[in-house]
Amino acid sequence: TYTLQVRDANNCGVGSDDKLVNVNPQINIAISNDTTICKLPQGVANLNATPSGGVPRYKYGWTPKDSLFYPTTFAKTSKPTTTTPYTFTVTDASNCTVSNDVQVTSYEPPIAAIPSPDTIREDRSITLDAALAANSGFNFEWSTNYDPTVFSTSSSHYLEYLEADTSLNGTDYYIKVINPSNGCENIDTITVHAISNAKILFVPNIFSPNAES
């Protein structure tokens, strides 16, 4: 409580007034650490913020809202195309307001692309080559549809000397390209069809090499 006393020039008291000042407890916000995502359909970041202190009840929200799902205490960003700072703001029952920020850094995913060929004869072999990711400092892993969740680590962007036989017909080959500098990864797949020699029809030229009709 603060008291104001007023005296005149003769030091006579002419009045006083009291003022009660309430000091509300401080509002605190526990917020997620800064994080990174990759620009892919699954590239989302979960943001969490929990207010405490102050005078409940709270009003709160996230900004910007255009890249968030359900911008409440728990919020999920939806693929921000650029690095974006998000602000969580809390106002308590005494109309005190506090904010805190978290930043989501968005990285481009590496290129994963396996071009043709995707058809081979059973006595031939081919090389599956993710050439667009070559000489990039990326890491590579290969898998097949026998178990596409299990990848074998490789330092190469190509899978070489694939011996062809009809048992390979319809085999899916997957390459996972990983950028070790930020952890972003991307996957591409190609289906290899092996053609039996017995199914290849040879059609001779209608003209004889000896000029015979």
Side-chain angles (χ1 to χ4, degrees):
T1 302
Y2 292 88
T3 301
L4 175 66
Q5 294 181 338
V6 180
R7 296 180 179 274
D8 62 13
N10 298 318
N11 201 28
C12 295
V14 294
S16 64
D17 193 16
D18 296 330
K19 183 67 174 180
L20 178 64
V21 177
N22 293 316
V23 179
N24 295 320
Q26 180 179 348
I27 303 173
N28 300 301
I29 300 175
I31 198 167
S32 305
N33 294 326
D34 293 347
T35 188
T36 61
I37 65 169
C38 302
K39 296 179 183 178
L40 291 170
Q42 65 271 28
V44 295
N46 293 324
L47 305 181
N48 291 280
T50 304
S52 61
V55 182
R57 309 177 74 178
Y58 306 115
K59 296 179 181 179
Y60 48 82
W62 291 88
T63 54
K65 296 181 179 180
D66 55 352
S67 58
L68 294 172
F69 292 117
Y70 312 113
T72 58
T73 299
F74 172 80
K76 184 169 66 175
T77 68
S78 69
K79 300 174 297 185
T81 57
T82 59
T83 295
T84 304
Y86 293 91
T87 300
F88 184 79
T89 302
V90 179
T91 301
D92 69 2
S94 64
N95 208 34
C96 292
T97 299
V98 174
S99 298
N100 204 346
D101 299 326
V102 59
Q103 180 167 286
V104 178
T105 302
S106 181
Y107 289 112
E108 292 287 346
I111 296 174
I114 309 173
S116 296
D118 57 2
T119 302
I120 51 177
R121 289 170 53 180
E122 63 177 339
D123 59 347
R124 303 287 178 87
S125 60
I126 62 172
T127 298
L128 301 180
D129 191 351
L132 293 177
N135 303 318
S136 56
F138 295 158
N139 297 330
F140 306 93
E141 298 179 1
W142 289 90
S143 180
T144 70
N145 59 352
Y146 297 117
D147 191 348
T149 64
V150 178
F151 285 82
S152 60
T153 303
S154 172
S155 60
S156 177
H157 55 87
Y158 57 85
L159 187 63
E160 198 171 23
Y161 303 121
L162 179 69
E163 295 299 333
D165 57 63
T166 53
S167 65
L168 288 175
N169 195 36
T171 300
D172 295 329
Y173 285 85
Y174 300 81
I175 186 171
K176 180 190 294 185
V177 183
I178 306 163
N179 186 342
S181 67
N182 54 38
C184 286
E185 61 184 44
N186 207 350
I187 295 177
D188 191 34
T189 181
I190 189 171
T191 302
V192 176
H193 299 279
I195 301 175
S196 170
N197 286 333
K199 296 181 180 180
I200 299 176
L201 176 63
F202 175 70
V203 179
N205 194 300
I206 60 173
F207 297 102
S208 168
N210 296 324
E212 298 173 350
S213 57

